Amino acid sequence: MKKEDLLHLEKLMNFLAMHFLKKSHWEDVSKTEWSYVVAELNDLISTENQGKGIKKEPDVLGSNYLYEHVIINKLKKYYQNKNAVISKPNLAKLSQIVRVLGYSNYIDFINSNTESFNFNDLRIDMNNVKQNTELLDKLVGCWYSYNRNLPESPLLAKEDRIWRSATEIYKSETSGEYFIERSGGDRHKYFGKVTAYSDYVFIIMNSNTFIRQRHFISRIKDIKEKLKNPEYKLHELHFISTCISFNQEPIALFEIFQKADRKTFITDSISFPIDSEEIPQSIVKQLEDTEANRIDYR
């Protein structure tokens, strides 16, 4: 097995560690946690078979497949002795794994993940201000983001589509920072950091395919009082965000993050016609009111 093949395999295991456990490296994952990942993958494999109407029992992974066959027999063996002879992995099984995660096959996965997220390049820092971690913990979870570019003139706001992206906010187990990942078209991904001070929420976000930094700001009125109620849940956030366009002009976007159920959460970006029944009317109303949502940068 070539070194390049092992690096590709390591990329997959790091991807699984991050996707299911929010851990950045396969070495941080225990044997028990790998069994959990296998169980999740097997559920996805079974669901895929049912969706295709296949009555035959699916060829699922063994509970220790990832830990024993991949981690122990390949990655750990390689890093303990880089001259060791290591057998090739079962490409059919690897393709089966990535297919239920949204890729055509293993090669498609490798080609689609040539860039890694560099969270260290993103910094949100306000001196002498204490983070509102209680609010940040309320933001952790899955969201749908409804967004729309605002034209230079509200009279030109005749868009017939709005966009819904899948978004997840989570707390890093290693650094304690709050991260955000968001889907886009053609394997395009946004990633960023989230923080909160007082009743304000800030996000700084970048892309895995080109540098187009975006800044989000939201304010939740009376959040200190609301957080005193242990039953309080945050279901919707309204953001004004900016990014720098290709011609270096700032663009204002009005965006709404709406809480999504983990069971029905779709990780790929989806676009709907603005009159789609799947878009809540409250979202449409906000997006159509471009005059009220504008920001004057000048």
Side-chain angles (χ1 to χ4, degrees):
M1 192 174 176
K2 297 179 181 178
K3 179 181 178 180
E4 184 181 15
D5 296 327
L6 280 159
L7 293 178
H8 290 158
L9 192 60
E10 184 173 37
K11 185 181 294 182
L12 172 60
M13 301 310 285
N14 287 340
F15 181 89
L16 294 175
M18 177 59 72
H19 183 80
F20 289 104
L21 302 167
K22 297 306 175 192
K23 293 189 175 182
S24 58
H25 200 271
W26 61 267
E27 287 184 317
D28 300 328
V29 181
S30 68
K31 180 179 179 179
T32 301
E33 287 173 323
W34 281 123
S35 296
Y36 159 78
V37 173
V38 169
E40 291 287 312
L41 288 169
N42 284 339
D43 283 344
L44 292 172
I45 292 169
S46 297
T47 301
E48 183 188 51
N49 266 36
Q50 292 172 6
K52 292 179 178 179
I54 300 173
K55 295 182 179 180
K56 182 183 175 183
E57 285 295 316
D59 182 20
V60 296
L61 306 169
S63 60
N64 289 321
Y65 174 77
L66 293 177
Y67 183 75
E68 292 182 0
H69 289 269
V70 181
I71 298 298
I72 298 295
N73 293 337
K74 300 190 189 319
L75 295 183
K76 283 193 173 182
K77 187 176 180 179
Y78 170 74
Y79 282 106
Q80 288 168 0
N81 179 10
K82 295 191 176 181
N83 295 317
V85 177
I86 300 172
S87 61
K88 289 186 177 181
N90 186 322
L91 286 178
K93 284 191 179 296
L94 297 183
S95 287
Q96 183 183 38
I97 289 171
V98 298
R99 192 173 62 248
V100 296
L101 296 174
Y103 297 88
S104 301
N105 50 51
Y106 186 53
I107 303 302
D108 177 37
F109 166 79
I110 292 169
N111 292 336
S112 299
N113 286 274
T114 55
E115 298 285 341
S116 61
F117 296 161
N118 190 359
F119 288 104
N120 292 327
D121 285 347
L122 304 175
R123 288 182 172 79
I124 304 177
D125 191 21
M126 293 187 182
N127 295 328
N128 304 319
V129 182
K130 185 180 179 181
Q131 279 197 107
N132 189 344
T133 53
E134 193 176 1
L135 171 55
L136 288 167
D137 288 335
K138 292 288 184 184
L139 301 181
V140 169
C142 298
W143 301 79
Y144 288 123
S145 173
Y146 297 83
N147 62 90
R148 176 170 172 186
N149 289 343
L150 298 183
E152 193 66 28
S153 168
L155 298 176
L156 301 177
K158 301 296 182 183
E159 301 283 343
D160 61 352
R161 302 184 73 84
I162 64 175
W163 303 92
R164 183 184 83 169
S165 297
T167 302
E168 184 172 8
I169 298 173
Y170 60 93
K171 186 176 182 179
S172 168
E173 291 188 8
T174 52
S175 69
E177 294 175 289
Y178 293 81
F179 291 156
I180 181 169
E181 293 184 22
R182 175 169 163 181
S183 66
D186 299 324
R187 305 295 176 201
H188 181 73
K189 299 287 184 181
Y190 287 102
F191 62 99
K193 288 183 178 179
V194 187
T195 193
Y197 300 99
S198 185
D199 51 1
Y200 288 92
V201 178
F202 299 90
I203 297 175
I204 183 170
M205 191 173 284
N206 215 331
S207 160
N208 67 329
T209 55
F210 55 84
I211 299 173
R212 193 182 185 189
Q213 202 167 90
R214 302 182 64 181
H215 302 261
F216 294 70
I217 184 170
S218 178
R219 186 186 181 196
I220 309 171
K221 293 182 180 179
D222 305 318
I223 189 62
K224 291 181 180 178
E225 291 301 314
K226 291 173 181 175
L227 290 175
K228 290 178 182 178
N229 176 9
E231 303 299 320
Y232 173 71
K233 292 183 179 179
L234 189 59
H235 294 287
E236 191 168 286
L237 274 171
H238 292 209
F239 282 96
I240 290 293
S241 70
T242 65
C243 66
I244 300 301
S245 67
F246 294 112
N247 62 5
Q248 299 302 304
E249 289 295 322
I251 301 173
L253 302 99
F254 182 71
E255 313 208 6
I256 302 171
F257 282 28
Q258 190 174 66
K259 207 77 172 182
D261 189 334
R262 168 73 72 172
K263 294 178 181 177
T264 58
F265 186 63
I266 302 171
T267 57
D268 290 328
S269 177
I270 294 179
S271 65
F272 294 110
I274 200 163
D275 58 355
S276 170
E277 293 181 357
E278 295 195 50
I279 300 175
Q281 284 303 305
S282 61
I283 302 289
V284 175
K285 185 177 178 181
Q286 289 283 349
L287 290 165
E288 287 181 331
D289 193 356
T290 56
E291 181 61 36
N293 300 329
R294 291 179 65 80
I295 290 183
D296 184 4
Y297 293 98
R298 296 170 178 80

